[in-house]
Amino acid sequence: MTPSPHQLSSVRWSAIFPWLILVRAARVSLMVRVIILALLGVAATHGGWRLIDSTLQGSQSLQSLERAPQISIPLMPERHEPPTTFNEPVIVSARMTTGAFLSAWHWLGRPFGLLALRPTLQESVTLALAGVWSVAVWALFGGAIARIAAVYLTYGETLGPIAAIRAAARTWLAAIGAIGFVALAMLVVALPLVIAGALLRFDLMVLLMGMAWIVALLCGAIVAILAVGLAFGWPLMWATSAVERTDAFDAISRGFAYLFQRPLQLLFYVFVASLIGVLAQVAVSAAVTATTTATHWCVALGAGQGRTSDLGFDHQGVSDDVDSVGEIGAGGIEFWTSVAQGASSYFPLAFFWPAVTAIYLLLRREIDGTEMTEVVFDEGESFRGLKPLTPTASGVPQIEGSAAAPAPPSK
C-alpha cells in the first residue's frame, strides 16, 4: 500500500528543537579521548600552578584553585551546633546544584575571579600568573576538545587526539590573542580612570573632574562592556577558533556579537546545557564508582581483606609489613584509581568545551543564518571516517584520491 503524500511518516526532532545538539555534545564529552585530554589539561594546569606558587615562596593564593570543579555551591553556611530553642529550625545544609557546565566555567576563571577581591600585591602577581598559565594550557587542550566537538557535531566524524592537538596548536595564538586584546583594551581605557582617581586627592582636581565626570562615566561604561564581553563571551571566542579557524579579531567580533545580540537565547542554551551536564555528571560518577567498587570487591575476594588493607585500599596508607616492591605496586594501584576518580571529578572540563561549541553553532545559525553542518577544515587535516567525495568527468562522484573508475565499453 502506497502511503499518502500527506501522511506523516517521521519527525526530525533536531529540526524542530535544534538545541538537541547539546545532547550530542554530551556524547562527545563521554568519549575516552576527550576525557583524557581534559585530564592532561588539568595535570598541566596544576603543575604550572604549583611551580608558580613555589617560585614566589610562601604565597598560599593558589591552594584553593587546585580543588576540583564543584557541581554545587553553598547558599548559606552549614550549621553544626544544636538549636537553642525547639522552634528554631535545624539547617543541615543548603546548596544549589550548578551542574558540570557552570562549575567548569567557574573553575576556569577562578584565578581572575580571585583577583577581583583585591588581594595583596604578591597574591595579585601569583593569581595573574596562574590565570595566564590557565589560558595558555586550555587554549591548547580545551581547543583540542572543542575541535573534536566541532568536527563531530557538524560533519559527523571524529578527530584523533593527536590530530586535535595539532589543530588546536594552529589556532593557539588566536585563542590567546582574543582574550589578550580584550584585556589590553580594558587596561587602556581603565588606566586614565586610575590616574584620575589618584588626582582626586587634590581638591582642585576634584573640581575639574566634577565638570568632566561624564567622560569618566563613558570610560567606565566601556570598561564594563569589555569586562562583561570577556567574562561571558570568551568561550564563544574559542569556539569560533575551533569551528571557523580564523584569527583573534574575528573571534572577538563573533563572541561579542553573539553575546549581546542574543543574550536570552544564550541564557536558555546555558540552562539546557546545565541540565544535560547534571545528567552526564551523574552517569560518569555512577560508572566510576561502580567500576572502582567492583574492582576492589573482586580483588578483596582473592587477596583477603587484611591484605588489601595492608596495600592501602582503605585509604589509610600502605602498611609497614609491605616491602619496597609491594609499595611500588601499591603506588601504581593508587595512581590508576586516582586517574579513574579524576575522570569523574574533572568531567565538567570534558563537558564544557563540546557544550560551548554546540552553543556557538546554535547562535551562529540564528544570527548569521549558517547551517550547523558547516565547519572549516585546515589544509591537510585528516579525521577518522570516509574521505570527501569529488566530482568526476562522468558526473558520478568518487572518493577523493581513489583511482577513477574505467569508462564503460562503447557498443
Side-chain angles (χ1 to χ4, degrees), residues 21 24-25 27-28 31 33 147-160 361 372-375 377 383-387:
I21 193 176
R24 297 179 60 204
R27 188 183 308 168
V28 175
M31 294 180 180
R33 76 197 71 175
R147 185 57 180 171
I148 292 175
V151 173
Y152 181 84
L153 296 176
T154 58
Y155 206 72
E157 302 294 343
T158 57
L159 282 176
L361 294 174
M372 291 193 294
T373 55
E374 294 188 15
V375 65
F377 288 99
F383 53 91
R384 299 180 182 181
L386 295 177
K387 297 181 179 180

Side-chain angles (χ1 to χ4, degrees), residues 3 8 15 40 78 82 133 166 170 210 233 284 329 331 349 359 382:
L8 182 64
L40 290 176
E78 298 182 2
W133 175 253
R166 291 175 179 172
R170 296 188 187 101
V284 171
L349 296 170
I359 291 174
S382 61

